Amino acid sequence: MTTGEQLLRATGLRVTRPRVAVLDVLTQGGHLEVEEITRQVRGRLDSVSTQAVYDVLGALSRAGLARRIEPAGSPARFEARVGDNHHHVVCRTCGTIEDVDCAVGERPCLDPNASHGFDVDEAEVTFWGLCPACRPEASV
């Protein structure tokens, strides 16, 4: 039994080839768009529709096995790093995304000055800047 199969069973999801393949792609790391996930899954399976990949990503996200992030101006991306309330830094030029550990180390990393009665259990922060390859001094 593979780790992907174990994770699916542990969360009560039925084990299917598309679910295992998508989970395997995500666990390789990165912040992948659906098109890239679909391309990699098609390399593993005979065929899979883009809609099937969307459906799998939705099920994995609801089960807590995948995380959907949506940096402004970018399509949704998915990652397998979940449950630790980490944040992201995004390059304004090339769109590269990297993980940033939680500033405090536990959920939520930040406390709002006005919670408006909400029981806040997570903070999502996106830092923006230029990656080393896109900084002006990198092209000199």
Side-chain angles (χ1 to χ4, degrees), residues 7-87:
L7 289 171
L8 290 167
R9 285 193 173 97
T11 58
L13 290 177
R14 191 167 50 93
V15 176
T16 65
R17 291 180 67 226
R19 286 180 177 170
V20 171
V22 169
L23 194 53
D24 286 347
V25 167
L26 290 178
T27 57
Q28 290 178 12
H31 305 89
L32 304 173
E33 295 180 23
V34 173
E35 292 76 21
E36 177 61 20
I37 296 167
T38 302
R39 186 188 67 72
Q40 289 188 40
V41 168
R42 285 180 179 153
R44 297 164 185 254
L45 303 178
D46 296 332
S47 68
V48 66
S49 70
T50 302
Q51 185 58 54
V53 171
Y54 272 107
D55 293 346
V56 168
L57 289 167
L60 294 177
S61 295
R62 286 187 301 277
L65 296 176
R67 181 176 177 191
R68 177 186 177 121
I69 61 170
E70 297 182 61
S74 174
R77 296 174 184 245
F78 293 84
E79 65 180 336
R81 185 175 170 185
V82 296
D84 64 352
N85 199 76
H86 71 279
H87 308 301

Side-chain angles (χ1 to χ4, degrees), residues 75-133:
R77 296 174 184 245
F78 293 84
E79 65 180 336
R81 185 175 170 185
V82 296
D84 64 352
N85 199 76
H86 71 279
H87 308 301
H88 298 95
V89 60
V90 181
C91 180
R92 292 184 186 278
T93 301
C94 69
T96 295
I97 300 173
E98 296 293 339
D99 293 333
V100 176
D101 289 334
C102 185
V104 174
E106 56 188 65
R107 297 170 39 163
C109 297
L110 305 171
D111 291 315
N113 60 358
S115 66
H116 302 281
F118 284 71
D119 182 14
V120 177
D121 64 3
E122 186 175 352
E124 185 173 309
V125 176
T126 303
F127 299 96
W128 294 88
L130 295 177
C131 71

